Amino acid sequence: MATPRTTYLELAKIAKQRGTLNKTLLNVYLTNMIRTYRKEQAAAATATRDERFKNYY
């Protein structure tokens, strides 16, 4: 199972509170969050496509 997008946001908040959030770490969190979002969108599109094809046969 994939990591929820909100997890990366929480990790960034924790790092900010500790004072360890730098530009590189922020970029890593944002990249992972975007990657997870794209995977969610792809899964939803695949499910929709499969459902449409199922209706044709």
Side-chain angles (χ1 to χ4, degrees):
M1 182 166 190
T3 305
R5 284 183 283 157
T6 54
T7 301
Y8 299 112
L9 183 61
E10 293 297 323
L11 289 172
K13 286 180 183 178
I14 292 169
K16 185 176 180 182
Q17 288 174 351
R18 291 182 179 177
T20 59
L21 184 64
N22 56 18
K23 188 175 180 178
T24 304
L25 189 57
L26 180 62
N27 284 336
V28 168
Y29 288 144
L30 290 175
T31 303
N32 288 338
M33 203 159 87
I34 292 168
R35 191 174 293 153
T36 303
Y37 175 75
R38 288 180 181 162
K39 285 181 183 178
E40 289 172 1
Q41 295 300 313
T46 301
T48 302
R49 187 189 70 214
D50 290 347
E51 195 64 31
R52 287 184 182 171
F53 284 141
K54 188 170 72 172
N55 291 336
Y56 287 125
Y57 297 109

